[in-house]
């Protein structure tokens, strides 16, 4: 029971971060039918930029509470990632808008590798540790514990997701985004500047990625130039699990994947009689990906293929 | 009368295939002009060229005296042109109300938008009944009403329609054409592309006939309706 509750909490926290990243994949896919494999790297850059700022502030011994320093890092990472996402679309994807679908896909992988290497050159190959400046208080909940950081990550993710849903469902801009996703040419006929909407989609997705990047690095206590790869792949899995192109699906898929992974890690030792340990955690994500692709490629909330307008 | 729309020597090609070759025509303010032609004549391609949906390979389009030939769709629409596209093009996963709101995307005048919306609902009571329903669940006729209503929500100076009668039952076609006549009477200039030549010539002032990408004939609609060539080719005689 303790393990169950504990792993559920851990899973939801991790899953809410996956959900934030998955939203970026799914929003871009919804409009361009492109899987932006560079999105994981945007998350990594977010973490790196934030850590650079945080490290500098800590190194300068500024007399500020830890939470404010981290906030400064986040506020630097968000615009940096927005600019990065915007630039990636403009430079790498837009010229290929009418090319066969394989071309932008390969380009996405290329951008991803480019950003990894760029990050390696700038920040080096070593792990960068997240300074221990955040409060370490934990609370007991049933037989499990939850830290302030976990609560913070979970609540902030949910608030951001609610804000995104409100934007997409309730505002004129969101309506234009949905119209563009359904029928771009017709949206143009309504007066929607499709290129602006596409840019905006990348910008919003990248802002979410920036926040997620800081969360992951704070949670695990480290950042690394290669961290975007696995995180991106898992978030992509979450998006596919929920039904790629579907916002609610990305959120559900993210949370679900986090819980599956965490439960798997918690119980794998028992199941295999100690043969495999929680270090096999990452296997579950890809097991889920394969299962979904085989059994229900449209995902949990996705519509059947061919139903798109 | 000043021409609202002036098209000169317009050509459209898909790869090497020419769809429209050297089309020239005009629509004056207040007119209801039709363009008739058989399948594949290039009618839709012409409308797409006017609205920036396909590339114009040659020629010019002027709206209110200003060139709009190579503008993007949203810039053209912002100047006061609305297209009811072939096959309606409603946003099927959005509600009827949201579709109509999309029609008013370029406008800011909330009070006037609300008034126009009320007018559209008066014109098409069926749309009012189904305002919270996803547009994809409407019948073909209802979707056509929605597409027309949505175009009118932009308060266009020029309304372009691509075969609004396509796939509709005769009664529904009557209803749509009556609506177009009423819209025209209110002062909206209309350029109507149709395969239903009989009805199109009945409600329009002037007409153009298109064949294999070329405009081959133009006259008043009354004259076209008794033109032997037109009667043979498009009125089934
Ligand atoms: N996207 C496209 N790519 C290649 N060829 C096209 C494309 N769209 C249209 N064509 C060709 O251009 C020509 C004109 O087509 P268009 O759709 O403009 O005709 P239309 O008069 O609207 O016909 P219909 O009455 O059937 O709607 C046709 O020969 C068609 O095959
Ligand atoms: Mg056509």
């Amino acid at each position: 029971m303790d393990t169950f509750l504990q792993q559920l909490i851990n899973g939801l926290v991790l899953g809410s971060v996956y959900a934030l990243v998955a939203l970026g994949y799914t929003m871009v896919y919804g409009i361009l039918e492109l899987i932006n494999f560079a999105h994981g790297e945007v998350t990594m850059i977010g973490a790196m930029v934030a850590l650079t700022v945080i490290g500098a502030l800590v190194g300068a011994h500024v007399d500020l509470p830890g939470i404010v320093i981290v906030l400064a890092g986040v506020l630097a990472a968000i615009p940096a990632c927005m600019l990065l996402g915007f630039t990636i679309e403009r430079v790498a994807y837009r010229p290929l808008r009418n090319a066969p679908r394989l071309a932008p896909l390969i380009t996405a992988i290329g951008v991803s590798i480019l950003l990894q290497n760029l990050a390696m050159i700038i920040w080096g190959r070593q792990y960068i540790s997240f300074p221990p400046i955040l409060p370490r208080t934990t609370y007991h909940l049933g037989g499990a514990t939850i830290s302030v950081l976990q609560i913070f990550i979970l609540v902030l993710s949910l608030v951001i997701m609610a804000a995104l849903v409100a934007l997409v469902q309730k505002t004129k801009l969101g309506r234009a985004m949905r119209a563009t996703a359904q029928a771009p040419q017709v949206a143009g006929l309504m007066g929607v500047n499709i290129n602006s909407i596409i840019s905006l989609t990348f910008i919003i997705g990248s802002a979410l990625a920036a926040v997620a990047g800081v969360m992951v690095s704070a949670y695990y206590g480290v950042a690394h130039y290669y961290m975007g790869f696995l995180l991106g792949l898992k978030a992509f899995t979450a998006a596919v699990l929920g039904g790629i192109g579907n916002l609610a699906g990305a959120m559900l898929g993210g949370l679900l994947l986090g819980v599956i992974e965490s439960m798997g890690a918690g119980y794998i030792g028992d199941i295999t009689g100690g043969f495999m340990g929680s270090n096999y955690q990452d296997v579950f994500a890809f097991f889920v990906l394969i299962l979904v692709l085989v059994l229900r490629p449209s995902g949990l909330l996705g519509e059947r293929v061919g139903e798109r307008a | 009368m000043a021409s609202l729309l002036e098209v000169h020597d317009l050509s459209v090609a898909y790869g090497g295939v020419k769809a429209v070759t050297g089309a020239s025509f005009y629509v004056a303010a207040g007119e209801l002009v039709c363009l008739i032609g058989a399948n594949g004549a290039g009618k839709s391609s012409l409308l797409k060229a006017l609205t920036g949906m396909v590339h114009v390979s040659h020629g010019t389009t002027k709206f209110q005296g200003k060139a709009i030939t190579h503008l993007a769709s949203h810039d053209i629409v912002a100047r006061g042109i609305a297209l009811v596209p072939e096959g309606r093009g409603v946003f099927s996963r959005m509600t009827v109300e949201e579709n109509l709101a999309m029609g008013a995307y370029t406008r800011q005048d909330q009070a006037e938008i609300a008034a126009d919306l009320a007018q559209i609902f008066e014109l098409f009571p069926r749309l009012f009944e189904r305002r919270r329903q996803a547009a994809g669940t409407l019948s073909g006729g209802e979707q056509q009403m929605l597409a027309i209503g949505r175009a009118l929500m932009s308060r266009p100076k020029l309304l372009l329609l691509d075969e609004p009668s396509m796939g509709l039952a005769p009664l529904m076609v009557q209803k749509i054409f009556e609506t177009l006549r009423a819209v025209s009477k209110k002062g909206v200039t209309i350029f109507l592309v149709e395969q239903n030549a009989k009805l199109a010539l009945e409600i329009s002032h002037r007409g153009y006939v298109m064949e294999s990408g070329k405009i081959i004939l133009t006259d008043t609609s009354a004259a076209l309706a008794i033109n032997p060539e037109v009667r043979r080719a498009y009125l089934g005689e």
Side-chain angles (χ1 to χ4, degrees):
Chain A
M1 189 57 210
D2 291 359
T3 315
F4 181 80
L5 189 60
Q6 188 63 60
Q7 294 310 95
L8 184 66
I9 291 171
N10 294 350
L12 285 175
V13 171
L14 199 57
S16 65
V17 179
Y18 291 162
L20 286 185
V21 184
L23 281 168
Y25 276 103
T26 233
M27 289 199 312
V28 165
Y29 186 87
I31 287 189
L32 291 181
E33 293 191 20
L34 162 75
I35 294 165
N36 175 19
F37 274 119
H39 190 59
E41 271 60 45
V42 176
T43 311
M44 173 272 293
I45 299 279
M48 291 303 201
V49 169
L51 266 174
T52 305
V53 171
I54 292 167
L57 288 176
V58 170
H61 301 288
V62 287
D63 191 20
L64 287 170
I67 190 86
V68 175
I69 292 177
V70 173
L71 199 66
V74 174
L75 289 182
I78 289 176
C81 287
M82 284 174 149
L83 183 66
L84 181 62
F86 172 82
T87 309
I88 291 173
E89 191 273 327
R90 279 305 279 268
V91 174
Y93 301 148
R94 190 169 298 184
L96 298 172
R97 190 78 60 76
N98 298 313
R101 284 174 62 167
L102 196 56
L105 193 67
I106 292 170
T107 305
I109 295 169
V111 173
S112 164
I113 295 170
L114 180 79
L115 290 176
Q116 270 174 29
N117 283 280
L118 221 56
M120 189 183 75
I121 292 167
I122 299 174
W123 287 287
R125 312 176 68 100
Q126 75 283 8
Y127 283 84
I128 302 176
S129 58
F130 199 99
I133 52 176
L134 288 173
R136 308 217 134 227
T137 325
T138 55
Y139 301 95
H140 291 276
L141 203 86
T145 59
I146 184 164
S147 69
V148 175
L149 181 62
Q150 284 183 315
I151 295 173
F152 197 71
I153 289 175
L154 195 56
V155 170
L156 185 60
S157 302
L158 293 178
V159 168
I160 290 174
M161 286 189 251
L164 184 69
V165 170
L167 171 78
V168 170
Q169 294 299 329
K170 302 275 184 246
T171 67
K172 183 173 175 177
L173 182 65
R175 202 155 55 215
M177 291 172 74
R178 282 182 288 139
T180 306
Q182 283 185 42
Q185 279 210 319
V186 185
L189 288 176
M190 303 295 117
V192 177
N193 184 339
I194 299 164
N195 282 332
S196 305
I197 294 287
I198 291 172
S199 288
L200 194 74
T201 303
F202 275 84
I203 289 171
I204 294 175
S206 303
L208 301 190
V211 176
V214 182
M215 285 175 174
V216 187
S217 56
Y219 193 52
Y220 289 126
V222 287
H224 187 234
Y225 79 97
Y226 203 64
M227 68 185 270
F229 175 73
L230 197 58
L231 185 61
L233 218 50
K234 285 183 181 173
F236 169 67
T237 303
V240 172
L241 173 62
I244 193 146
N246 184 311
L247 287 193
M251 301 179 204
L252 179 69
L255 291 172
L256 213 56
L257 186 72
V259 172
I260 291 171
E261 224 183 70
S262 162
M263 290 290 174
Y267 288 107
I268 190 169
D270 296 344
I271 296 169
T272 60
F275 179 63
M276 291 161 107
S278 61
N279 50 337
Y280 278 86
Q281 175 173 359
D282 296 339
V283 167
F284 293 98
F286 306 113
F287 190 60
V288 167
L289 180 60
I290 292 167
L291 270 187
V292 173
L293 289 178
V294 170
L295 298 178
R296 194 178 159 85
S298 56
L300 295 173
L301 302 183
E303 55 243 69
R304 270 154 282 131
V305 177
E307 213 175 79
R308 286 188 95 248
Chain B
M1 250 194 311
S3 288
L4 189 62
L5 178 75
E6 265 177 276
V7 177
H8 181 69
D9 204 18
L10 189 83
S11 296
V12 176
Y14 300 103
V17 187
K18 287 205 161 183
V20 179
T21 19
S24 296
F25 65 98
Y26 72 93
V27 182
E31 277 193 307
L32 200 175
V33 176
C34 77
L35 173 72
I36 57 177
N39 284 118
K43 308 181 296 296
S44 298
S45 302
L46 184 66
L47 289 183
K48 286 181 178 171
L50 296 182
T51 50
M53 294 167 79
V54 296
H55 178 71
V56 173
S57 52
H58 184 80
T60 55
T61 313
K62 276 189 188 169
F63 184 66
Q64 295 184 303
K66 297 208 179 76
I68 56 164
T69 318
H70 296 291
L71 295 185
S73 289
H74 66 270
D75 283 330
I76 293 174
V77 170
R79 289 170 189 234
I81 299 181
L83 169 66
V84 177
E86 187 171 38
R88 292 125 201 171
V90 299
F91 299 111
S92 54
R93 279 176 284 155
M94 290 169 125
T95 65
V96 167
E97 253 174 355
E98 285 184 315
N99 269 271
L100 292 170
M102 279 310 295
Y105 184 78
T106 53
R107 299 171 56 184
Q108 309 296 337
D109 45 341
Q110 296 307 325
E112 303 265 301
I113 291 174
D116 286 1
L117 185 65
Q119 273 203 6
I120 300 291
F121 282 149
E122 210 172 293
L123 193 62
F124 302 116
R126 192 70 74 83
L127 294 184
F128 180 72
E129 287 164 29
R130 308 196 185 269
R131 63 191 180 282
R132 304 215 196 287
Q133 209 168 301
T137 65
L138 299 182
S139 77
E142 290 162 353
Q143 289 192 14
Q144 191 63 63
M145 292 179 199
L146 179 57
I148 294 173
R150 186 180 63 181
L152 290 174
M153 283 301 290
S154 69
R155 284 210 179 164
K157 298 186 182 87
L158 173 65
L159 177 63
L160 311 171
L161 297 107
D162 196 347
E163 298 200 40
S165 76
M166 189 164 63
L168 302 186
L171 259 176
M172 188 58 80
V173 174
Q174 284 293 342
K175 160 90 186 152
I176 297 283
F177 274 68
E178 271 162 31
T179 308
L180 292 184
R181 206 197 291 263
V183 169
S184 164
K185 284 240 168 69
K186 279 191 184 165
V188 179
T189 309
I190 297 181
F191 185 64
L192 168 68
V193 163
E194 257 302 335
Q195 276 201 59
N196 189 331
K198 184 169 177 298
L199 275 175
L201 290 173
E202 256 174 48
I203 70 161
S204 56
H205 305 120
R206 291 190 301 116
Y208 292 91
V209 180
M210 194 169 194
E211 212 175 271
S212 315
K214 291 194 176 70
I215 290 180
I216 54 159
L217 199 61
T218 176
D219 210 329
T220 63
S221 298
L224 285 175
I226 54 168
N227 180 312
E229 212 181 317
V230 173
R231 292 186 75 87
R232 198 174 336 100
Y234 301 103
L235 297 170
E237 289 186 15

